[in-house]
Amino acid sequence: MPKQDDTPLMQQWREAKSRHPDAILFFRVGDFYEMFYEDAEEGARLLGLTLTTRNNGGASDVPLAGVPARARDEYVQRLLRLGRRVAICEQVEDPAEAKGIVRREVVETVTPGVVLADALLSERRNNYLAALCRAPLGQGKGEGGGIPGLGLEGGAPAYALAVADISTGELVALHVPPGALEAELARFEPAELLLPASWEGQNVPEAGRAIITTRPDWLFDRQAAEEELRRRFRVHTLEGFAFQEGDDGLIMALGALVAYLAEVQPAGVAHLRPPRIERPGRVMALDAMTRRNLELVEPLRPDLASSSTRAHTLLDVLDETVTAMGARLLRRWLLAPLVVADEIWQRQAAVAVLVEDPPLRRALRAELSQIRDLERLAGKAATGRITPRELRALGTSLERLPRIRDALLEKVGDALAHTESALLASLAQDLDPLDDVRDTIARALADDPPATLADGGAIRAGYSAELDELRDARDGGKQFIA
């Protein structure tokens, strides 16, 4: 790649590219995202773009391909489906106010498993990133070491799996016996699988359609992983996360996964929930053959998957959910059926209460149908990507929570100890309506907020004295000067 006689813009591009050598760099230039050199050649080939050239300050012509800024997500999605990573380099200052070349920075790296934009996500299914490593041997109790509860006390190597959905903040970790790896990966359907670099070149047939990403082995080191988790969750010790003896592998997988997220999407780590540890014996692991033959979430005939006609799978038959959150939860339940009898009976009893009380069921569905995707809206708020109108939608959705809680409590509030409604009663009593968040949004946000923050007018007059003073200075400049 020639370097002599680079223009300032190409010097800026080269600096950004050097920090993201394994990604296609979308470099914002006015109303376009431009790709240069090998990125342009690959982008033109994969996206069907015209490859042209840019004169590079007297040196050889630079290969160039570009896409309109308004169509960015469409092209990024196509690259993700092909297993490529995309680094988004934005103009971070107003060109009209820039002295010299406009300052640009890479604001995010989009990979198949690390996606926040709505246009790149499916509403009704999770988009998981998974990290996999071998659990250290010689842990746990018993002469042979191993991991209690997995039947591996004799020392057979087990895997540690950590899974995250950055759009919802979900974070899960579990031990996986060697024979169950395919079933567990099939349950989560990760879009991207993170592996230690020492595994590179090894065949991982259980990975399915997941894109394989390797990272240095030291990221999976026990001590480095623990330090990463303590730093990201701002805790002095991991004792509060319910880790047990023999869970070193879980810490290693979680630490590597969180470190990778912090690398490619720094703003997406703050809203991760504390890790949920799944212990063996609660759900049934279903291998790919079982899932396919039972047609749980995909039909046996692939051509039916693209058909607009429903009822080709069990999920199609059962899914009458009215929220995206409910649809994702139902899909997770189908792919991981319960095996603990008490939990099964509790869930069935809750369903029976709702089946036998149509007015309650209709009331709950009416309220739920007015609720937007709270999980992903909360994720956007935590990462600073939420728009004023989405924030208004969040506040409006939160107004429905007290009504849902009150409707449930009216039906089963006094029956927490009774089996027939214990689960619903527990859900109602544990539901936090987030009154403080709802009230803050109502007080701070304008009644008709703009589409973007840059449009101005998002904050209600009277909420901030300092902001009101600045607005008065802007709108009444002559009086302010006088």
Side-chain angles (χ1 to χ4, degrees):
M1 188 183 298
K3 298 182 180 180
Q4 68 273 19
D5 299 328
D6 268 348
T7 63
L9 183 137
M10 291 309 302
Q11 292 174 2
Q12 197 178 55
W13 174 86
R14 196 182 302 283
E15 182 181 351
K17 180 63 179 178
S18 67
R19 294 194 295 270
H20 302 273
D22 56 350
I24 293 178
L25 184 65
F26 271 32
F27 192 76
R28 183 71 178 262
V29 182
D31 293 331
F32 285 83
Y33 287 96
E34 297 188 351
M35 296 166 279
F36 301 106
Y37 290 110
E38 69 274 12
D39 285 356
E41 294 168 352
E42 184 176 12
R45 185 180 74 255
L46 297 178
L47 300 173
L49 304 174
T50 300
L51 185 65
T52 180
T53 58
R54 170 187 290 271
N55 186 276
N56 190 18
S60 59
D61 288 339
V62 175
L64 163 69
V67 300
R70 64 179 183 277
R72 184 193 76 179
D73 287 346
E74 175 189 343
Y75 288 100
V76 170
Q77 186 175 48
R78 289 167 62 182
L79 289 172
L80 292 181
R81 287 174 179 166
L82 295 169
R84 299 297 284 115
R85 303 155 59 88
V86 182
I88 309 296
C89 188
E90 291 284 4
Q91 298 175 171
V92 293
E93 65 177 334
D94 189 340
E97 300 177 1
K99 296 180 180 180
I101 190 168
V102 176
R103 188 161 56 90
R104 293 176 174 86
E105 293 179 2
V106 174
V107 296
E108 65 176 318
T109 302
V110 187
T111 77
V114 186
V115 180
L116 284 170
D118 287 342
L120 306 178
L121 292 167
S122 169
E123 276 192 349
R124 306 183 77 81
R125 63 185 297 174
N126 289 97
N127 189 72
Y128 285 122
L129 166 71
L132 180 69
C133 65
R134 290 194 181 277
L137 295 180
Q139 298 178 13
K141 301 177 181 179
E143 298 179 1
I147 300 169
L150 288 179
L152 302 174
E153 286 73 17
Y159 296 99
L161 180 66
V163 180
D165 183 342
I166 193 174
S167 69
T168 64
E170 183 180 357
L171 186 59
V172 183
L174 62 155
H175 283 296
V176 183
L181 180 58
E182 181 182 4
E184 293 295 0
L185 288 176
R187 165 160 70 112
F188 290 105
E189 303 174 296
E192 184 176 3
L193 182 60
L194 193 66
L195 300 175
S198 58
W199 290 28
E200 192 168 4
Q202 297 185 28
N203 187 25
V204 186
E206 300 89 349
R209 291 190 290 261
I211 300 301
I212 302 297
T213 299
T214 58
R215 277 298 179 266
D217 285 26
W218 65 263
L219 281 181
F220 292 83
D221 176 75
R222 170 64 172 78
Q223 183 175 351
E226 179 176 346
E227 291 175 358
E228 181 69 29
L229 292 174
R230 287 194 283 109
R231 179 167 60 253
R232 296 300 171 187
F233 288 103
R234 300 179 182 179
V235 295
H236 294 294
T237 175
L238 301 183
E239 292 180 0
F241 293 148
F243 289 113
Q244 300 176 2
E245 184 181 2
D247 282 349
D248 283 358
L250 301 185
I251 294 173
M252 292 158 60
L254 282 167
L257 183 142
V258 171
Y260 177 68
L261 287 176
E263 172 193 337
V264 301
Q265 190 68 256
V269 180
H271 76 292
L272 285 178
R273 305 175 205 165
R276 173 169 55 86
I277 311 300
E278 280 195 6
R279 299 296 175 187
R282 181 174 178 268
V283 299
M284 181 186 301
L286 303 175
D287 58 44
M289 183 66 71
T290 301
R291 293 171 59 236
R292 191 179 306 114
N293 288 337
L294 292 178
E295 296 188 292
L296 297 182
V297 296
E298 55 187 15
L300 278 172
R301 289 175 52 191
D303 58 302
L304 294 180
S306 58
S307 171
S308 59
T309 307
R310 293 192 62 195
H312 294 307
T313 68
L314 181 60
L315 180 62
D316 291 333
V317 173
L318 295 180
D319 189 0
E320 297 293 339
T321 56
V322 292
T323 70
M325 300 169 289
R328 292 194 295 268
L329 179 61
L330 179 60
R331 185 185 181 92
R332 292 198 299 270
W333 280 2
L334 280 181
L335 294 176
L338 292 171
V339 296
V340 179
D342 287 345
E343 293 190 47
I344 295 173
W345 293 126
Q346 286 185 21
R347 190 178 288 178
Q348 289 188 351
V351 171
V353 170
L354 296 174
V355 168
E356 294 166 3
D357 192 337
L360 173 64
R361 188 174 69 252
R362 286 193 293 267
L364 290 176
R365 287 179 62 84
E367 297 296 338
L368 288 169
S369 66
Q370 301 302 311
I371 292 180
R372 294 277 296 276
D373 194 337
L374 293 180
E375 287 181 324
R376 288 183 172 167
L377 285 176
K380 284 186 172 185
T383 56
R385 298 171 62 98
I386 197 167
T387 67
R389 288 180 182 173
E390 288 173 333
L391 196 59
R392 167 59 65 198
L394 176 61
T396 303
S397 297
L398 293 179
E399 293 175 1
R400 304 284 175 170
L401 297 187
R403 305 176 194 177
I404 293 174
R405 182 191 58 183
D406 294 344
L408 285 173
L409 288 176
E410 183 180 350
K411 173 69 177 180
V412 296
D414 299 327
L416 185 58
H418 298 297
T419 304
E420 67 271 12
S421 53
L423 180 56
L424 287 178
S426 174
L427 290 173
Q429 294 186 358
D430 292 342
L431 178 62
D432 182 355
L434 301 174
D435 294 332
D436 54 340
V437 178
R438 183 187 69 243
D439 292 343
T440 299
I441 293 175
R443 286 187 293 106
L445 203 61
D447 290 331
D448 186 18
T452 67
L453 198 60
D455 294 334
I459 304 300
R460 185 187 300 275
Y463 178 74
S464 168
E466 182 181 2
L467 179 60
D468 288 344
E469 184 178 346
L470 292 172
R471 283 174 172 167
D472 290 342
R474 178 198 64 189
D475 299 335
K478 292 182 180 180
Q479 295 89 332
F480 178 78
I481 293 173

